[in-house]
Amino acid sequence: MSLVILLDAGPLGLITNPRASQETRDCNLWLESLVLKEVQVKIPEIADYEVRRELLRADKFKGINRLDDLQKYLDYVPLTTQAMLKAAQFWAQVRKQGMPTADNKALDGDVILAAQAAMINDEGHEVIIATTNVGHLSCLANAKEWRNIP
């Protein structure tokens, strides 16, 4: 069973941010260390969407270019019908349990990301979602603060 790290929008945004802060440097070093260890790090399409839409809205073209460049080095996990069907199940499940991850009218990227993780897990991989917001994701998937993934 191989380890797969899925980047949530938080770490993906830090990695593609062209402004150097301590946090962006730390996140980039963390990503480099995973790649050097030959850990599979992947970009889920839903996380790309969440980061890209904000970069486009704010006309942050350097960030968009960095996001595009990152796809040359990391695997991209496209949305599939199976993942969206699983996301719908997750969406209903968390609402029945009284633990919604977003407003009922929101698209709810967290359940879509969790569904993408579930699809990869079903292929026999151990999946960890690297995030900055463990709370919503942890009820559906193995999610950890990116800094806590060695």
Side-chain angles (χ1 to χ4, degrees):
M1 180 183 289
S2 62
L3 176 63
V4 174
I5 305 293
L6 292 183
L7 297 174
D8 191 7
L12 186 58
L14 289 170
I15 291 163
T16 58
N17 188 334
R19 290 191 176 179
S21 69
Q22 188 60 50
E23 189 174 29
T24 60
R25 283 191 293 273
D26 289 349
C27 197
N28 276 284
L29 288 171
W30 167 78
L31 174 62
E32 288 174 26
S33 74
L34 291 175
V35 171
L36 288 172
K37 293 178 203 170
E38 298 184 3
V39 173
Q40 293 183 65
V41 181
K42 299 184 180 211
I43 303 168
E45 187 169 8
I46 189 63
D48 179 283
Y49 165 77
E50 289 180 318
V51 171
R52 186 176 300 274
R53 69 183 181 186
E54 286 301 317
L55 292 171
L56 288 166
R57 182 189 58 76
D59 293 327
K60 294 186 175 181
F61 301 110
K62 285 183 182 177
I64 293 167
N65 290 336
R66 289 174 64 102
L67 185 58
D68 290 340
D69 286 344
L70 193 59
Q71 290 181 23
K72 296 174 188 173
Y73 304 102
L74 301 179
D75 289 334
Y76 191 82
V77 183
L79 288 170
T80 64
T81 300
Q82 293 80 12
M84 293 305 288
L85 293 173
K86 185 69 167 175
Q89 289 175 348
F90 282 165
W91 185 92
Q93 173 188 326
V94 295
R95 276 154 183 78
K96 286 179 182 179
Q97 294 170 346
M99 302 179 336
T101 54
D103 184 80
N104 284 344
K105 293 180 183 179
L107 180 60
D108 200 349
D110 286 344
V111 296
I112 297 170
L113 178 55
Q116 287 191 284
M119 297 293 100
I120 295 169
N121 194 303
D122 288 348
E123 296 170 358
H125 301 282
E126 177 188 356
V127 181
I128 301 173
I129 298 172
T131 187
T132 55
N133 182 10
V134 174
H136 285 155
L137 287 166
S138 63
C139 65
L140 296 168
N142 184 7
K144 295 182 181 178
E145 176 80 26
W146 66 267
R147 292 178 188 273
N148 297 331
I149 301 171

